[in-house]
Amino acid sequence: MKWKKLTIETTTQAVDFISGLLAELGIEGIEVEDNVPLSEEDKEKMFIDILPELPEDDGTARVNCYLELDQDLEDTAARIQAGLEEFRTFVDVGTGHISFGETEDKDWMNNWKEFFKPFRVDDSIVIKPTWEKLENSCPDDLIVEIDPGTAFGTGAHETTKLCIGNLKKYLKEGDALLDVGCGSGILSIIGMKLGAGCAVGTDIDANAVETAKENAQINHLHLHTSKMETECPSGTVEFLTGNVIGDNTFAKQVGENCYQVVVANILADVIIPLSATVKKHMAEGAYFISSGIIDMKADEVKEALNANGFEIVEEARMKDWVSFVAKIKE
């Protein structure tokens, strides 16, 4: 379906007034383009290491709205223009120039799927999207079916590949695995297929946790749905919503001193505080695998691990990304 696009050139001061005017005209969904610097709260919500670089804020803004093709564009524009002239008596509305365009309503939530095809992580692990057919696999391949939905974790990113390589190297048969920031659940699922005795994945995003549960069932894993007590039941995988860093009650629910491997494929700015609390979940001799670390933040993570009583036993790199494997210093 195609839509008419109407754009108003204005100022950041006038955006709220224009938003109210459009709502009165029955136009509810708008898009605002400006160069207003991100607040600290906004930065925390973005969960990214490298923030977007914005041009200098010059006070200008563009307000976009979308109208159905049968709507009278000229009449709507005339009403908006009249409202802008009224606003000029008490706020700077800028040029107030109105322009028109056309856009197509695409299924952005699902169109990416056409680019996600089965691929081989290494010589023995194959990632297969749930909607794709698998061809040319080997009898001994470990096949993982994934539908990440809106969660992170297709297995294609370098950070995930680093974690998978380290899981293959350090996870032993029967080990209990804790996956912090589980996303789609891919690392927990691979851990179970590599022989983990049980796995628990946690994420602060409830939608990611639901996606992880669905992926576990797709891969024919036994999903434990009862409330966690002290450790994960043998032969099961569980996914829980919560923050192991800032919520002590939740951290206790996840389990203490019971995991032989903890993996965290998140971000450097999350791994740094996690390194101060993760030890309480680790059994004697356990490994802490961390990834999602952009190379420019690697030294900060390394310093945090050392300061919090860890010994780094391996450092791996892939393109711009770094992964550390650490053990608690004896």
Side-chain angles (χ1 to χ4, degrees):
M1 180 176 178
K2 291 186 176 180
W3 299 81
K4 294 177 180 177
K5 180 179 180 181
L6 186 150
T7 299
I8 307 163
E9 294 181 7
T10 184
T11 68
T12 54
Q13 297 177 32
V15 165
D16 288 343
F17 296 102
I18 293 173
S19 175
L21 170 63
L22 295 176
E24 290 177 5
L25 296 176
I27 303 171
E28 297 181 354
I30 69 168
E31 176 187 37
V32 178
E33 301 176 59
D34 59 37
N35 297 320
V36 176
L38 296 169
S39 67
E40 290 303 317
E41 183 180 0
D42 290 334
K43 292 176 183 178
E44 290 178 3
K45 289 179 179 178
M46 293 179 76
F47 293 105
I48 56 175
D49 274 327
I50 304 175
L51 295 170
E53 292 186 9
L54 297 175
E56 184 178 351
D57 180 20
D58 58 2
T60 62
R62 292 162 60 90
V63 178
N64 304 312
C65 58
Y66 300 88
L67 311 173
E68 294 184 6
L69 291 177
D70 59 358
Q71 285 186 253
D72 189 335
L73 211 59
E74 291 186 4
D75 178 67
T76 301
R79 294 186 182 191
I80 293 172
Q81 196 67 63
L84 292 175
E85 293 308 313
E86 290 185 19
F87 294 154
R88 285 187 189 279
T89 61
F90 56 87
V91 68
D92 179 10
V93 300
T95 67
H97 178 70
I98 298 175
S99 59
F100 309 103
E102 195 172 88
T103 185
E104 188 174 355
D105 182 18
K106 296 183 178 180
D107 185 5
W108 299 110
M109 290 294 290
N110 291 299
N111 282 359
W112 62 273
K113 289 184 176 181
E114 65 181 281
F115 304 104
F116 183 21
K117 302 294 182 182
F119 67 96
R120 185 173 292 279
V121 176
D122 57 17
D123 59 354
S124 63
I125 297 178
V126 176
I127 306 295
K128 185 188 90 66
T130 56
W131 56 88
E132 290 282 341
K133 290 184 179 180
L134 185 62
E135 300 177 358
N136 303 321
S137 62
C138 300
D140 295 332
D141 280 341
L142 188 158
I143 298 169
V144 180
E145 295 199 58
I146 288 290
D147 182 350
T150 58
F152 177 82
T154 63
H157 198 275
E158 288 83 5
T159 61
T160 312
K161 289 180 179 179
L162 287 167
C163 284
I164 292 171
N166 284 326
L167 283 176
K168 291 185 72 174
K169 189 170 183 178
Y170 292 96
L171 183 75
K172 301 187 300 296
E173 186 84 19
D175 279 353
L177 170 67
L178 174 60
D179 179 6
V180 180
C182 63
S184 69
I186 187 170
L187 294 177
S188 296
I189 293 166
I190 289 176
M192 291 297 293
K193 287 178 176 280
L194 288 173
C198 63
V200 173
T202 71
D203 205 293
I204 61 174
D205 183 352
N207 292 324
V209 167
E210 290 307 309
T211 296
K213 290 179 180 180
E214 292 170 5
N215 283 324
Q217 292 174 319
I218 290 168
N219 285 276
H220 310 293
L221 299 178
H222 181 58
L223 190 64
H224 181 68
T225 55
S226 300
K227 185 177 179 181
M228 292 287 298
E229 293 178 357
T230 56
E231 59 183 68
C232 57
S234 178
T236 68
V237 60
E238 172 65 308
F239 297 100
L240 303 168
T241 304
N243 186 348
V244 297
I245 299 174
D247 187 338
N248 290 330
T249 301
F250 179 72
K252 287 183 179 180
Q253 179 187 350
V254 169
E256 297 181 333
N257 307 119
C258 57
Y259 296 97
Q260 283 76 37
V261 176
V262 178
V263 61
N265 183 25
I266 318 178
L267 292 170
D269 288 340
V270 180
I271 292 169
I272 288 170
L274 178 62
S275 67
T277 65
V278 71
K279 287 190 291 186
K280 62 187 172 187
H281 301 290
M282 299 170 64
E284 184 177 353
Y287 292 98
F288 176 36
I289 300 169
S290 58
S291 189
I293 305 162
I294 193 73
D295 53 7
M296 67 181 68
K297 295 261 188 176
D299 287 343
E300 293 180 45
V301 175
K302 188 182 296 187
E303 289 172 7
L305 288 168
N306 288 326
N308 286 300
F310 282 98
E311 173 190 0
I312 296 172
V313 297
E314 183 170 344
E315 176 180 334
R317 292 176 179 263
M318 190 176 292
K319 293 186 177 178
D320 296 328
W321 301 94
V322 182
S323 175
F324 293 112
V325 181
K327 294 183 73 173
I328 299 173
K329 292 178 184 176
E330 297 181 357

